[in-house]
Amino acid sequence: MRPLLPFILLHLCATLALADDSETPKLLPIPDKLVVLTFDDCNKSDRTFVADLVKEHAFGATFYITEGLGFLKSKENYMTWKEIRELHDMGFEIGNHTKAHRNVTKLTKEALSKSLDHIDTRCAENGIPRPITFCFPGFSHNLSAVEVLMTKKVFTFARRGIRPEFEDGGRGGLGPAYNPKLDHPLLVPTTWYSGPESGTDDLKKAVAKAKDGKITVLCYHGVPAIEHPWVNTDPEVFKEQLQFLKDHGCTVIAMRDLKKYVDPTNRPEDPYAQIEQRKQR
Ligand SMILES: [Zn+2]
């Protein structure tokens, strides 16, 4: 009788190798003009104005949801969960922006963890998948918060603001482009956020940075931002800006879609190394 064991082992190895191959994510090359589009804070205009317009342009986008700020008090200026669900149904990404929009650097790890879980629960109650990307409220971040995100396992990418590499007067501004080879995926910088002091010219400068493997990340608050005029965007200006992205040939995606181009499990050992290097430059 021929010994069967070597054949069985060989077959098993071949099968495992195949399974391995099929699970390796095939990443797309990062094209120039790749732009991530995000909207923070649940402003009513996300549903009543922004979503339809973004959809008309066939762009992807992420809406970062919090029950903080005026969410629980003013349904005139903030979306309802029904409206948030509609954004999901339209194909947009719903991201986690914490329960109460507190500065995460002032929270214990446990409090931040609970705040994240709250949004997960509310999403589940409303038939929305558990968010896999995060946005730091008020753009504040630190290592402790990044560690909490890591313990959650579910998060692929997290967006911060333009600080500390760029100065931030809080009324819109430019930041670094996201360099997936160097930046930690849970500290993706904002390349530009809209506000009264930073308009279409700065948007164009930000988009010009989306080349040679770097990705531009855009952040809007309300269009208009009724309760937060310091990060307001005028609806007519917003229309022009979307038209610019279209005419310029940008690929405009939600934050979650970064994983088509970037392996989020490939994380630098020191999350802040790249930020420190940029600051020194
Ligand atoms: Zn926010």
Side-chain angles (χ1 to χ4, degrees), residues 61-262:
T62 304
F63 293 87
Y64 283 109
I65 303 305
T66 175
E67 288 192 336
L69 305 169
F71 185 92
L72 298 175
K73 286 169 262 164
S74 161
K75 294 332 281 180
E76 229 173 86
N77 295 334
Y78 292 83
M79 287 189 287
T80 62
W81 272 101
K82 182 175 169 287
E83 288 169 319
I84 295 167
R85 167 64 194 261
E86 285 166 7
L87 296 180
H88 163 69
D89 290 341
M90 290 173 81
F92 294 115
E93 178 186 13
I94 302 303
N96 197 327
H97 200 34
T98 73
K99 175 182 180 181
H101 205 271
R102 300 249 159 79
N103 179 341
V104 298
T105 67
K106 306 233 158 90
L107 295 179
T108 62
K109 283 188 163 176
E110 197 191 10
L112 173 57
S113 176
K114 278 190 181 163
S115 188
L116 294 166
D117 294 347
H118 177 85
I119 295 296
D120 287 350
T121 304
R122 299 295 281 129
C123 283
E125 287 166 358
N126 288 282
I128 297 166
R130 187 178 178 191
I132 61 164
T133 74
F134 172 75
C135 171
F136 292 91
F139 297 166
S140 300
H141 54 88
N142 64 6
L143 184 59
S144 166
V146 173
E147 284 167 355
V148 173
L149 297 178
M150 288 198 265
T151 62
K152 292 291 181 191
K153 308 283 186 210
V154 72
F155 289 113
T156 49
F157 298 95
R159 206 205 77 221
R160 59 185 174 95
I162 65 176
R163 292 189 308 255
E165 300 98 314
F166 283 66
E167 278 185 34
D168 187 1
R171 295 173 60 82
L174 285 162
Y178 168 42
N179 186 341
K181 286 208 177 106
L182 300 173
D183 283 299
H184 195 283
L186 297 176
L187 284 169
V188 172
T190 294
T191 317
W192 174 75
Y193 78 100
S194 177
E197 285 179 12
S198 191
T200 307
D201 286 348
D202 279 353
L203 165 71
K204 290 178 180 174
K205 282 182 200 161
V207 170
K209 295 182 186 185
K211 59 177 186 181
D212 305 328
K214 282 180 264 172
I215 300 165
T216 289
V217 181
L218 305 179
C219 162
Y220 288 89
H221 294 78
V223 188
I226 301 199
E227 291 194 6
H228 305 103
W230 55 92
V231 282
N232 181 59
T233 305
D234 179 87
E236 286 309 310
V237 171
F238 181 70
K239 275 189 197 170
E240 285 166 22
Q241 292 175 347
L242 286 194
Q243 194 58 46
F244 164 76
L245 296 175
K246 184 117 207 161
D247 294 345
H248 197 61
C250 295
T251 305
V252 182
I253 60 170
M255 194 82 168
R256 67 181 171 199
D257 297 326
L258 279 173
K259 67 178 185 294
K260 295 180 189 168
Y261 306 90
V262 179

Side-chain angles (χ1 to χ4, degrees), residues 5-26:
L5 192 61
F7 292 99
I8 292 169
L9 280 176
L10 202 67
H11 181 74
L12 195 67
C13 289
T15 310
L16 283 174
L18 264 179
D20 262 10
D21 260 9
S22 62
E23 277 164 23
T24 308
K26 294 271 184 292

Side-chain angles (χ1 to χ4, degrees), residues 49-59 90 92 239 242-243 246:
F49 176 71
V50 167
D52 290 330
L53 203 60
V54 173
K55 186 114 185 136
E56 267 173 43
H57 287 74
F59 292 162
M90 290 173 81
F92 294 115
K239 275 189 197 170
L242 286 194
Q243 194 58 46
K246 184 117 207 161

